[in-house]
Amino acid sequence: MSEEFMSRRNLNFVLYEMLDATKLTENEYYKEHSRETFEAIIDVAEQIAREKFFPHHMELDATEPVVENGRVKIIPEVKEALDAYAEAGFLSAHHSEELGGIQLPRIVTLACQVWFSAANIATLAYLGLTKAAANLIEVFGTEEQKEKYLGPMLEGRYYGTMVLTEPQAGSSLADVATTARPTDEGHYLIKGNKIFISCGEHELSENIIHLVLARLKDAPPGIRGLSLFIVPRYRVREDGSIGEPNDVALAGLIHKMGYRGTTSTMLNFGENDDCRGYLIGEPNKGLACMFHMMNEARINVGIGAVMQGYAGYLYSLDYARNRPQGRPLGNKDPKSKQVMLVEHPDIRRMLLMQKAYVEGTFALGFYSAWLLDQEKTSPDEEVRRECGLLLELLTPIIKAWSAELTLEANYQAIQILGGYGYTRDYPVEQYYRNNRLNPIHEGANGIQAMDLLGRKVSMHEGAAFNLLVREIEKTVAETLENEPLREWASQIEKALNTLKETTADLLKAKKDFGPERVLANASIYQEMFGHVVIAWLWLKQAQTAIKGLEYANEENATFYKGKLQACRYYFTWDLPKIEYQSRILRDLDPTCLEMQDAWF
Amino acid sequence: MSEEFMSRRNLNFVLYEMLDATKLTENEYYKEHSRETFEAIIDVAEQIAREKFFPHHMELDATEPVVENGRVKIIPEVKEALDAYAEAGFLSAHHSEELGGIQLPRIVTLACQVWFSAANIATLAYLGLTKAAANLIEVFGTEEQKEKYLGPMLEGRYYGTMVLTEPQAGSSLADVATTARPTDEGHYLIKGNKIFISCGEHELSENIIHLVLARLKDAPPGIRGLSLFIVPRYRVREDGSIGEPNDVALAGLIHKMGYRGTTSTMLNFGENDDCRGYLIGEPNKGLACMFHMMNEARINVGIGAVMQGYAGYLYSLDYARNRPQGRPLGNKDPKSKQVMLVEHPDIRRMLLMQKAYVEGTFALGFYSAWLLDQEKTSPDEEVRRECGLLLELLTPIIKAWSAELTLEANYQAIQILGGYGYTRDYPVEQYYRNNRLNPIHEGANGIQAMDLLGRKVSMHEGAAFNLLVREIEKTVAETLENEPLREWASQIEKALNTLKETTADLLKAKKDFGPERVLANASIYQEMFGHVVIAWLWLKQAQTAIKGLEYANEENATFYKGKLQACRYYFTWDLPKIEYQSRILRDLDPTCLEMQDAWF
């Protein structure tokens, strides 16, 4: 069975050839770094992913966490893997030196993360959430809160969670009903039921630090009345030792189709009216605190999706290269040897589609990390502002479109394995099940689409959208004179015009007819937008490949030719879809809007 | 939780309004029947499906069959359901009166089957395979074989299986290696290992009758050297009583992502050189026997897919109607009551897409059953011939395209339920997992596409294809003058021309450049073909709805309006995809063909 789940060659291509990540070391904040330090830590990530994360990913999927005597039991390999990750410093690597970090660029921590994510996403999730919660405490916590909680989290002694959803409030956070009652002792008493809390209960760490959205008494209704609270599972004493349980009860585990090794919990806060929470950030600004991390959280979902796609792609590729089945068309001699699956053009189609989707979204994920780094550390204020805007705009695409494309890739991986593909003895069906969560969690794809068309493309008078257009036009200008790229450059130029005109039409229609008519078709707008963005990332990769080909040895030349062919695939088989999509959009097609409930 | 998994209203619409099934009773073979007898048996099917099949479908999925002390243990509700089905006569209903059947048209047995299939496909599979095996014995078996095996199978005392695949021979049946050695006693000794044998072992029936593809000594290599054998799990004595075990060993159960309640087995035949098989049909014609049933088997896979889609659609519809979440766009008052999910246009889009895919493929499935009945019983020889040809041509679409569209429908059902959608407490993720098998088993979709473009469209000098064109043109002619339908009629007229021209181009290119260049893109041809066929079936439904609207009461009018809106959806959102698909095809796009193994 193949043990390849990630490609170092492609990682290097995106990191150094396409994005020139080492250039980030020119920024003051990253100046201690070099390609050598980057490589060293990526080596460690690859090694731990291979040795500690990958080997148990099938067993964990088959052996879901269960509750025994009130405790959550998880196979021991999970804790071993998580401890190895924490010991190697991956929880704090991106933090400042003052916090014990090594100020690693986000793009390099991503280059580490992809190994774990492809190797075993269900195990990684425990630390992904811990990092997210720690980041939040770092930005909004008081000094005391940081000392008490952040330190142990960065060491991997405490884990963290994000606690938003309630049974009656999923996409509609305005309806969160958990309450927080002030006391004279500085803490609040939290009361309410939460659901879908990933990593909400386990025995993997000394403590679990929940970040809980709740409503202060007399707070305004809706999302403007939500505050954020630190709610430790065990209280932490002044001296930092673990104290009493904090009245957070596990009401049950949720059994999911994928990410089965990641506990998903129902939690009851304050069943005995003794659940202590500590306000973090300002009152009624809880959602703003959460959303401060939302771009990053959504990028992480997108990357999680990409890596499920990646692992499935590499597995099915290995299978196709080693499984003899059938003979070429025209060979009617049944005594002749069977050829490998990869020899059949339709199998190559399924592999090429996977490559196009997986490496396209992979490049987008790394581009977004590069934007994050520049937003944070560029010496040029204008660059920081622009990178921030681009990131805002692209976040729905990174999250939603990556999830959709790579789920399709996972479908193809199963198809290549045939009957074996849908058995649980092979990993591809697990990747597919895992990936099916990604179009939903961290904001369902339909919500992302509303965000994109309803807010992002028009925000700051279209500044972010215009920036993206400029960036794409820049790539077009650079490639339009280059023979092998010219055809794609002119194709994307046309596609960009279609996107611009469609967007303008929709924004005008929003003014003329109100938002409902326009936003009813937001999902197909997001698809169209996604196609243009991924095509652009493919053109950038092709541009990089052409450059690389100039001095390439044979092995590298082979790699670059694959890039060009995958680019060709995306431009020929996918980008043309935007034509019918733009027609539906520009017609303000009312089919879905006018559908009546009773007609179903 | 919703207990609706099928719509009787829509069934009646397709059966009596669109297809006029009662007209079949004019054929001599069905002359004892009437709408009343049809309705009576469909009532029984609905009742047994609701009472015996549906209630345990979630439990069966969660409690997979296991091997204990060499025996397969399955929850007892399965046998209860299967016995009720057999007792009601559904195993033999379609057979002739001589065989104890009631000569029910295939379209009516399908109208029964859809209830079981939507209620609990994993349980139904045991009898689906038994019926298929029984049909084969009826056609090819000797009188003695029929007496010995067919009788008990129709009573539900013996179950049946189809045994083709081997570990090294999946899509490539030419490489089947199981052998059959003649003896002096009339039987053959079977030896070989088989895999993915659905229902290959269980304790649900007195006996299991395996129909096994194997190779006689000195048989030609390839598919022309395969013979078919009856291999009972237990030998049957002259007096019909059960004798010794027949050296068929269970080597293991396969654990699948879906259809988890249907055992999928590895079977070793003749481990002790004492596995007796009985030749059925002529030597070396085994595959022809199997393929005699293949159209029907593939229709059954297509219908299985449709019903997974159907059950998911109705579940998510009920959920959307009863789950309050969020507020309409523009309502910024968080104190106002939440509205039901179905009020959001993007949710209606996801429901309408499901309706369009599920009811479109449902109509196609019933149309194919109508073709089967006419092929078998029409008094007009020309009609019989034409219906046979149409069925041959459409089989890949019924199987492959139904599976793809309805899997997409299942995706949308999950999306509507949000986080709940991917939990195993709700059925929609199970439907999705079940359905993921359908693009693979009974001939992977890529194989179907090769069959369609490589053989079916050109067979008999394009006779079948030309017939389909004529049928579609007939519907166009009937609707082109009808105001609400005219737009769609002219759209499909154009689409049909595109399909005709593309097909002609491809067949010419096959002659000019050989088959590989053309068949490399067979899959996208199948998609394009599928879109035209489903659009046609939608136009037929819309035509029927317009007719119905003339005299409809309010409830029926509501139903017909839904049909028109779903038709509008398919024509606006799906059919236009054929434009870019035909461009890829007519360009003979070589992207996949030219991709090199090393470039991946």
Side-chain angles (χ1 to χ4, degrees):
Chain A
M1 232 185 237
S2 168
E3 303 217 332
E4 290 311 315
F5 47 85
M6 238 300 284
S7 159
R8 185 74 176 253
R9 178 67 188 89
N10 188 46
L11 176 62
N12 287 340
F13 172 81
V14 170
L15 212 50
Y16 304 118
E17 298 180 57
M18 187 183 107
L19 289 171
D20 196 5
T22 39
K23 211 164 182 310
L24 286 169
T25 60
E26 291 170 11
N27 296 357
E28 178 67 20
Y29 190 76
Y30 300 133
K31 74 171 193 294
E32 299 296 325
H33 285 291
S34 64
R35 175 149 177 176
E36 284 65 40
T37 64
F38 292 173
E39 288 294 285
I41 193 151
I42 297 170
D43 283 345
V44 175
E46 177 175 349
Q47 192 189 351
I48 295 177
R50 285 193 191 281
E51 293 176 3
K52 297 285 184 182
F53 280 70
F54 185 74
H56 71 276
H57 84 103
M58 298 280 283
E59 190 193 343
L60 180 60
D61 179 67
T63 320
E64 222 172 0
V66 289
V67 181
E68 271 182 19
N69 305 321
R71 290 177 173 252
V72 176
K73 209 175 134 183
I74 302 177
I75 61 168
E77 290 88 340
V78 173
K79 185 161 168 56
E80 285 166 33
L82 297 173
D83 287 349
Y85 180 105
E87 274 160 33
F90 287 112
L91 277 166
S92 57
H94 64 295
H95 282 283
S96 64
E97 287 178 6
E98 298 99 80
L99 277 171
I102 54 170
Q103 301 191 175
L104 210 57
R106 182 66 184 93
I107 201 169
V108 181
T109 62
L110 182 61
C112 299
Q113 182 183 333
V114 290
W115 290 98
F116 302 109
S117 183
N120 188 336
I121 198 162
T123 293
L124 178 65
Y126 294 94
L127 297 176
L129 279 163
T130 301
K131 277 166 87 167
N135 288 344
L136 222 151
I137 296 174
E138 191 206 339
V139 176
F140 297 103
T142 63
E143 283 313 308
E144 191 200 334
Q145 287 170 341
K146 285 189 209 177
E147 195 178 325
K148 213 162 183 177
Y149 305 109
L150 182 57
M153 288 171 87
L154 297 182
E155 290 166 33
R157 293 196 292 115
Y158 296 2
Y159 286 2
T161 72
M162 312 288 260
V163 184
L164 292 78
T165 306
E166 299 180 2
Q168 82 295 346
S171 292
S172 180
L173 286 171
D175 294 279
V176 158
T178 294
T179 56
R181 189 156 49 85
T183 66
D184 298 339
E185 297 156 66
H187 64 257
Y188 293 78
L189 287 174
I190 310 292
K191 196 173 177 70
N193 304 328
K194 297 284 187 173
I195 194 167
F196 295 119
I197 309 309
S198 294
C199 313
E201 180 61 3
H202 53 73
E203 309 282 325
L204 300 165
S205 56
E206 296 172 27
N207 206 348
I208 302 175
I209 308 305
H210 302 294
L211 293 178
V212 181
L213 276 187
R215 203 176 285 284
L216 289 168
K217 197 166 172 291
D218 303 325
I223 55 172
R224 291 197 178 80
L226 295 174
S227 304
L228 190 63
F229 297 87
I230 295 176
V231 181
R233 176 194 181 208
Y234 295 105
R235 292 175 192 152
V236 179
R237 298 202 190 91
E238 286 308 310
D239 64 359
S241 64
I242 298 287
E244 295 295 297
N246 191 28
D247 195 14
V248 180
L250 176 67
L253 294 182
I254 294 160
H255 299 100
K256 307 181 301 298
M257 71 183 299
Y259 284 73
R260 294 178 63 161
T262 308
T263 56
S264 181
T265 59
M266 293 176 276
L267 296 179
N268 293 350
F269 292 85
E271 276 182 352
N272 305 306
D273 295 317
D274 195 24
C275 176
R276 297 186 189 173
Y278 307 90
L279 184 70
I280 175 166
E282 291 176 47
N284 302 333
K285 303 273 174 163
L287 206 58
C289 293
M290 276 293 189
F291 271 74
H292 185 83
M293 294 296 150
M294 205 44 97
N295 286 338
E296 185 133 11
R298 288 178 173 167
I299 291 170
N300 281 336
V301 170
I303 287 292
V306 174
M307 300 324 295
Q308 299 316 291
Y310 220 125
Y313 164 53
L314 292 181
Y315 194 92
S316 65
L317 174 59
D318 181 79
Y319 186 89
R321 283 173 167 164
N322 292 293
R323 164 85 172 170
Q325 196 72 186
R327 289 161 192 84
L329 277 174
N331 176 350
K332 306 279 184 205
D333 178 9
K335 281 172 302 188
S336 60
K337 249 180 89 175
Q338 299 199 74
V339 297
M340 297 303 164
L341 275 177
V342 73
E343 296 300 316
H344 300 295
D346 194 53
I347 299 286
R348 287 210 292 279
R349 175 186 66 84
M350 295 189 258
L351 289 169
L352 192 51
M353 187 193 298
Q354 288 182 73
K355 183 178 168 76
Y357 292 177
V358 162
E359 294 182 6
T361 51
F362 186 87
L364 175 62
F366 277 83
Y367 175 67
S368 70
W370 182 86
L371 291 175
L372 266 172
D373 286 327
Q374 288 289 43
E375 181 193 15
K376 188 171 156 190
T377 68
S378 170
D380 184 336
E381 189 189 332
E382 185 60 13
V383 169
R384 290 201 301 275
R385 196 186 65 86
E386 290 187 357
C387 288
L389 280 172
L390 279 170
L391 191 65
E392 280 278 299
L393 176 67
L394 288 174
T395 297
I397 300 298
I398 298 163
K399 192 276 178 188
W401 192 234
S402 298
E404 289 191 29
L405 280 187
T406 60
L407 186 63
E408 175 64 30
N410 283 137
Y411 172 99
Q412 302 297 340
I414 293 177
Q415 200 68 15
I416 288 171
L417 268 73
Y420 295 106
Y422 57 65
T423 69
R424 277 140 47 211
D425 296 328
Y426 291 80
V428 288
E429 64 90 37
Q430 183 202 149
Y431 300 138
Y432 181 70
R433 285 188 285 105
N434 287 345
N435 218 353
R436 184 61 193 85
L437 276 63
N438 289 316
I440 294 176
H441 56 196
E442 292 295 350
N445 282 7
I447 303 281
Q448 304 294 330
M450 304 274 276
D451 184 41
L452 179 68
L453 181 56
R455 205 169 68 82
K456 296 288 177 69
V457 294
S458 53
M459 67 182 181
H460 308 300
E461 285 161 8
F465 183 76
N466 293 336
L467 261 175
L468 179 68
V469 168
R470 218 174 62 200
E471 287 299 312
I472 297 177
E473 284 171 347
K474 208 190 289 174
T475 311
V476 169
E478 289 164 8
T479 50
L480 207 50
E481 298 304 314
N482 189 319
E483 191 39 61
L485 303 175
R486 195 172 56 184
E487 188 190 330
W488 301 327
S490 92
Q491 201 184 332
I492 206 171
E493 192 176 30
K494 202 170 142 243
L496 186 63
N497 281 333
T498 304
L499 179 64
K500 275 155 63 179
E501 287 163 18
T502 307
T503 306
D505 282 5
L506 293 177
L507 294 181
K508 183 174 178 311
K510 218 163 91 179
K511 280 189 193 137
D512 295 349
F513 306 108
E516 201 177 36
R517 178 83 186 262
V518 170
L519 292 182
N521 296 339
S523 283
I524 201 166
Y525 178 79
Q526 182 166 264
E527 272 189 53
M528 180 189 173
F529 201 108
H531 277 307
V532 174
V533 169
I534 296 297
W536 171 50
L537 265 305
W538 265 115
L539 183 57
K540 280 173 90 82
Q541 291 186 78
Q543 182 185 20
T544 312
I546 290 290
K547 210 181 291 170
L549 268 171
E550 274 180 51
Y551 305 101
N553 62 19
E554 203 185 317
E555 191 186 334
N556 279 331
T558 301
F559 174 82
Y560 294 129
K561 283 177 193 161
K563 282 288 176 194
L564 294 177
Q565 198 72 0
C567 179
R568 180 181 305 282
Y569 179 89
Y570 203 86
F571 274 80
T572 313
W573 290 65
D574 274 287
L575 187 57
K577 293 176 188 169
I578 70 162
E579 289 167 36
Y580 84 85
Q581 294 169 338
S582 81
R583 271 205 306 279
I584 291 173
L585 287 160
R586 298 178 76 174
D587 290 349
L588 299 178
D589 178 63
T591 308
C592 303
L593 187 64
E594 288 173 5
M595 181 69 185
Q596 303 291 310
D597 179 7
W599 296 353
F600 284 112
Chain B
M1 233 186 234
S2 168
E3 303 217 333
E4 290 311 314
F5 47 85
M6 238 301 284
S7 158
R8 185 73 175 251
R9 178 68 188 89
N10 187 48
L11 177 61
N12 287 341
F13 172 82
V14 171
L15 211 50
Y16 304 118
E17 298 181 58
M18 186 182 108
L19 289 170
D20 197 5
T22 39
K23 210 162 183 310
L24 286 169
T25 60
E26 293 171 10
N27 297 355
E28 178 67 22
Y29 190 76
Y30 300 133
K31 73 171 192 299
E32 300 294 326
H33 285 291
S34 63
R35 175 148 178 177
E36 285 63 42
T37 64
F38 292 172
E39 288 294 286
I41 192 152
I42 297 170
D43 283 345
V44 175
E46 177 175 350
Q47 191 189 352
I48 296 178
R50 285 193 191 283
E51 292 176 5
K52 297 285 184 183
F53 279 71
F54 185 74
H56 71 277
H57 84 103
M58 298 279 284
E59 189 193 344
L60 180 60
D61 179 66
T63 320
E64 221 171 1
V66 289
V67 182
E68 270 181 20
N69 304 322
R71 289 177 174 253
V72 176
K73 209 176 134 183
I74 302 177
I75 61 169
E77 290 89 339
V78 173
K79 186 163 169 53
E80 285 166 31
L82 298 174
D83 287 348
Y85 180 105
E87 275 161 32
F90 287 113
L91 277 166
S92 58
H94 64 295
H95 282 284
S96 63
E97 287 179 4
E98 298 98 83
L99 276 172
I102 54 169
Q103 302 191 177
L104 208 58
R106 182 67 184 91
I107 202 169
V108 181
T109 62
L110 182 62
C112 298
Q113 181 183 334
V114 291
W115 289 98
F116 302 109
S117 183
N120 188 337
I121 198 161
T123 293
L124 177 66
Y126 293 94
L127 297 177
L129 279 164
T130 300
K131 276 166 88 166
N135 288 345
L136 224 151
I137 295 173
E138 190 206 340
V139 176
F140 297 103
T142 62
E143 285 313 308
E144 191 201 334
Q145 287 170 342
K146 285 189 207 174
E147 195 178 325
K148 212 163 185 176
Y149 304 109
L150 183 55
M153 288 171 86
L154 296 183
E155 291 166 33
R157 294 195 292 116
Y158 297 1
Y159 286 2
T161 72
M162 311 288 259
V163 184
L164 292 79
T165 306
E166 300 180 2
Q168 82 296 346
S171 293
S172 179
L173 286 172
D175 295 278
V176 159
T178 295
T179 56
R181 190 157 49 84
T183 66
D184 298 339
E185 297 157 65
H187 64 257
Y188 293 77
L189 287 173
I190 310 294
K191 195 173 177 69
N193 304 327
K194 296 284 188 174
I195 194 167
F196 295 119
I197 310 309
S198 295
C199 314
E201 180 62 5
H202 53 73
E203 309 283 324
L204 300 165
S205 56
E206 296 172 28
N207 207 348
I208 302 175
I209 308 305
H210 302 293
L211 293 178
V212 181
L213 276 188
R215 203 175 285 284
L216 290 168
K217 198 168 172 286
D218 303 324
I223 54 172
R224 293 198 176 79
L226 295 174
S227 304
L228 190 62
F229 297 87
I230 294 176
V231 181
R233 176 194 182 208
Y234 295 105
R235 292 174 193 153
V236 180
R237 298 201 191 91
E238 285 309 307
D239 64 359
S241 63
I242 298 287
E244 294 295 296
N246 191 27
D247 195 13
V248 181
L250 175 67
L253 293 182
I254 294 160
H255 299 99
K256 307 181 299 298
M257 71 183 300
Y259 285 72
R260 293 178 63 160
T262 308
T263 55
S264 181
T265 60
M266 293 177 276
L267 295 179
N268 293 349
F269 292 84
E271 276 183 351
N272 305 307
D273 296 318
D274 195 24
C275 175
R276 297 187 189 171
Y278 306 90
L279 185 69
I280 176 167
E282 291 177 47
N284 302 332
K285 302 274 174 161
L287 206 58
C289 295
M290 276 293 188
F291 271 74
H292 185 82
M293 295 296 149
M294 204 45 95
N295 287 337
E296 184 133 13
R298 288 179 173 167
I299 291 170
N300 282 335
V301 169
I303 287 293
V306 174
M307 300 324 295
Q308 300 315 291
Y310 219 125
Y313 163 53
L314 291 181
Y315 194 93
S316 65
L317 174 59
D318 180 80
Y319 187 89
R321 283 173 167 164
N322 292 293
R323 164 86 172 168
Q325 196 72 187
R327 289 161 191 84
L329 277 173
N331 175 349
K332 306 280 185 203
D333 178 8
K335 281 173 302 190
S336 61
K337 249 180 88 173
Q338 299 200 71
V339 297
M340 296 303 163
L341 274 178
V342 73
E343 296 300 315
H344 299 294
D346 194 53
I347 299 286
R348 286 209 293 277
R349 175 186 65 85
M350 294 189 258
L351 289 168
L352 192 51
M353 188 194 298
Q354 288 181 73
K355 183 177 169 74
Y357 292 177
V358 162
E359 294 182 6
T361 52
F362 187 87
L364 175 62
F366 278 82
Y367 175 67
S368 70
W370 182 87
L371 291 174
L372 266 171
D373 287 326
Q374 289 290 42
E375 181 194 15
K376 189 172 156 191
T377 69
S378 170
D380 184 336
E381 189 188 331
E382 185 60 13
V383 170
R384 291 201 301 275
R385 195 186 66 86
E386 289 187 358
C387 288
L389 279 173
L390 279 170
L391 191 66
E392 280 279 297
L393 176 67
L394 288 174
T395 296
I397 300 298
I398 298 163
K399 192 274 178 189
W401 191 233
S402 298
E404 288 190 30
L405 280 186
T406 60
L407 185 64
E408 175 64 31
N410 284 136
Y411 173 99
Q412 301 298 339
I414 293 177
Q415 200 68 16
I416 288 172
L417 269 74
Y420 295 106
Y422 56 65
T423 69
R424 276 135 52 207
D425 296 328
Y426 291 80
V428 288
E429 65 90 36
Q430 184 203 149
Y431 299 138
Y432 182 69
R433 284 187 287 106
N434 288 345
N435 217 352
R436 184 61 192 88
L437 275 64
N438 290 317
I440 294 177
H441 57 196
E442 291 296 348
N445 281 7
I447 304 281
Q448 304 294 330
M450 305 274 275
D451 183 41
L452 179 68
L453 181 56
R455 205 169 68 81
K456 297 288 177 68
V457 294
S458 53
M459 67 184 181
H460 308 299
E461 284 160 9
F465 183 77
N466 293 335
L467 262 175
L468 179 67
V469 168
R470 220 174 61 200
E471 288 298 312
I472 297 177
E473 283 170 348
K474 208 189 290 173
T475 311
V476 169
E478 289 165 8
T479 50
L480 207 50
E481 297 305 312
N482 188 318
E483 190 40 60
L485 302 175
R486 195 172 57 183
E487 187 190 331
W488 300 327
S490 95
Q491 201 183 333
I492 207 172
E493 192 175 31
K494 201 171 142 242
L496 186 63
N497 281 333
T498 304
L499 179 63
K500 276 156 60 180
E501 288 163 18
T502 307
T503 306
D505 282 6
L506 292 177
L507 295 182
K508 183 173 179 310
K510 218 162 92 179
K511 280 188 194 139
D512 295 348
F513 305 108
E516 201 176 36
R517 178 83 186 262
V518 171
L519 291 181
N521 295 339
S523 283
I524 201 166
Y525 179 79
Q526 182 166 266
E527 273 189 51
M528 180 188 173
F529 201 108
H531 277 306
V532 174
V533 169
I534 296 297
W536 171 51
L537 265 306
W538 266 116
L539 183 57
K540 281 172 90 80
Q541 291 186 79
Q543 182 186 19
T544 311
I546 289 290
K547 210 180 292 170
L549 267 170
E550 274 180 53
Y551 306 101
N553 61 18
E554 201 185 319
E555 191 186 333
N556 279 331
T558 301
F559 173 82
Y560 294 129
K561 283 178 193 160
K563 282 288 176 195
L564 294 176
Q565 197 72 359
C567 180
R568 180 182 306 282
Y569 179 90
Y570 203 86
F571 274 80
T572 313
W573 289 64
D574 274 287
L575 187 57
K577 292 176 189 169
I578 70 163
E579 289 168 36
Y580 85 83
Q581 293 169 338
S582 82
R583 271 206 306 280
I584 291 173
L585 287 161
R586 298 178 75 174
D587 291 349
L588 299 178
D589 179 62
T591 308
C592 303
L593 188 65
E594 288 172 6
M595 181 69 186
Q596 303 292 307
D597 178 8
W599 296 354
F600 284 113

